[in-house]
Amino acid sequence: MSKLLVRSSKPDAEGCVVRVTPESAGWRYVGFEVYRLPGGATLERLSTASETCIVILSGRVHLRAADQEWLDRGIRATVFDGPPTGLYVPPRMRWSAEAAGAAEIAVCTAPANNGAELRLLDAAVIRHETRGSGGETREIDHILMEDVPAESLLVTEVVTPAGHWSSYPPHKHDVDDPPRETYLEETYYHRVRPAGGFTFQRVYTDDRSVDESLAPGDGDVVLVPCGYHPVAAGARHDSYYLNVMAGPTREWRVTVDPDFA
């Protein structure tokens, strides 16, 4: 199996179904985990050198950090059912997520010295965008992008209708040359509807030293350490993906493949 494809599995003792660390990915910045929690289960963490963005993928969750709590948060049954809710937590701050019923959460991390202010990323105020046209139309919710304070993390999610292309035209962000382009590692957490399907993602470089065509299924993660990385939804399956990005400069600056410019 490709080193760029991380398959999901049955929940472990804590409920983790997929995990990417900088060590496992062979890079420096992005960490990503997904947990499926039964009602009443609690996940608790303290990251001393990383900032964290918790994204409620489905279900309702009691969120707590420092001396604050946000009870019964989350408004969707699946990732396809409306905007997300999240929580941004700076380094050296303990947080917990308690499932009010069956819930799924993503834990997105990146190195940070100071981070930004602890805050709820409420579904009602997350910026929404419709991008592209025709067969490239998709819906985007910008959870923690440049317009929202953080030190390293960039987090966004995309829903692409069946048969449409996404992350298109093909673009890359593997050179640290701002403002032209910024180096950002990236994970794609894929979900498909209905769950039995799959989507397609190609990761390739100009010299084709990396050139892989992948078919992630529901719950799988694709690693993008370099290169262009377009996505195509299956003909009968809607596509969702959660993007986590981080690098030395917190700016999303990309280069489009000249063949598609």
Side-chain angles (χ1 to χ4, degrees):
M1 186 173 70
S2 169
K3 293 181 179 179
L4 300 183
L5 182 61
V6 182
R7 297 288 191 190
S8 63
S9 60
K10 294 182 179 180
D12 66 12
E14 284 192 307
C16 186
V17 296
V18 68
R19 174 178 288 117
V20 175
T21 67
E23 294 75 20
S24 70
W27 57 32
R28 294 179 54 194
Y29 294 97
V30 172
F32 180 74
E33 299 171 327
V34 173
Y35 291 84
R36 293 180 186 157
L37 304 175
T42 299
L43 181 69
E44 185 174 347
R45 289 288 186 271
L46 172 62
S47 296
T48 58
S50 298
E51 59 186 353
T52 303
C53 178
I54 301 104
V55 179
I56 301 175
L57 299 171
S58 63
R60 301 187 72 83
V61 178
H62 306 315
L63 297 168
R64 299 179 176 90
D67 58 351
Q68 299 185 56
E69 62 179 10
W70 300 267
L71 301 179
D72 209 26
R73 297 293 177 160
I75 64 171
R76 58 189 186 181
T78 78
V79 293
F80 295 96
D81 299 322
T85 299
L87 182 69
Y88 172 83
V89 184
R92 297 177 297 281
M93 184 176 291
R94 188 174 299 277
W95 62 267
S96 68
E98 178 189 355
E104 182 178 65
I105 65 170
V107 180
C108 318
T109 59
N113 294 316
N114 300 308
E117 183 180 1
L118 169 71
R119 64 197 179 280
L120 182 73
L121 305 169
D122 191 83
V125 299
I126 286 177
R127 179 168 60 91
H128 181 82
E129 175 188 359
T130 299
R131 184 177 294 175
S133 61
E136 298 174 26
T137 305
R138 64 271 199 190
E139 303 297 325
I140 303 174
D141 283 304
H142 296 287
I143 301 169
L144 191 72
M145 293 301 285
E146 294 165 82
D147 55 335
V148 180
E151 186 171 329
S152 298
L153 274 172
L154 295 164
V155 183
T156 193
E157 67 174 31
V158 181
V159 174
T160 306
H164 284 212
W165 286 82
S166 197
S167 286
Y168 206 86
H171 63 273
K172 71 181 185 74
H173 38 73
D174 57 13
V175 175
D176 195 37
D177 184 26
R180 181 185 68 83
E181 184 178 339
T182 50
Y183 172 81
L184 295 168
E185 302 161 355
E186 185 170 21
T187 54
Y188 275 69
Y189 172 62
H190 288 275
R191 302 300 301 269
V192 294
R193 180 177 64 180
F198 55 89
T199 190
F200 290 103
Q201 184 158 22
R202 186 182 179 198
V203 181
Y204 66 98
T205 56
D206 286 312
D207 63 3
R208 302 305 192 265
S209 60
V210 175
D211 191 354
E212 299 200 32
S213 297
L214 309 167
D218 189 51
D220 294 339
V221 174
V222 171
L223 309 179
V224 183
C226 61
Y228 309 101
H229 41 277
V231 172
R236 299 181 180 179
H237 291 83
D238 297 327
S239 161
Y240 163 96
Y241 53 80
L242 177 67
N243 290 138
V244 182
M245 295 173 281
T249 303
R250 190 175 181 259
E251 295 179 1
W252 189 73
R253 299 290 183 269
V254 305
T255 297
V256 172
D257 183 339
D259 290 340
F260 295 87

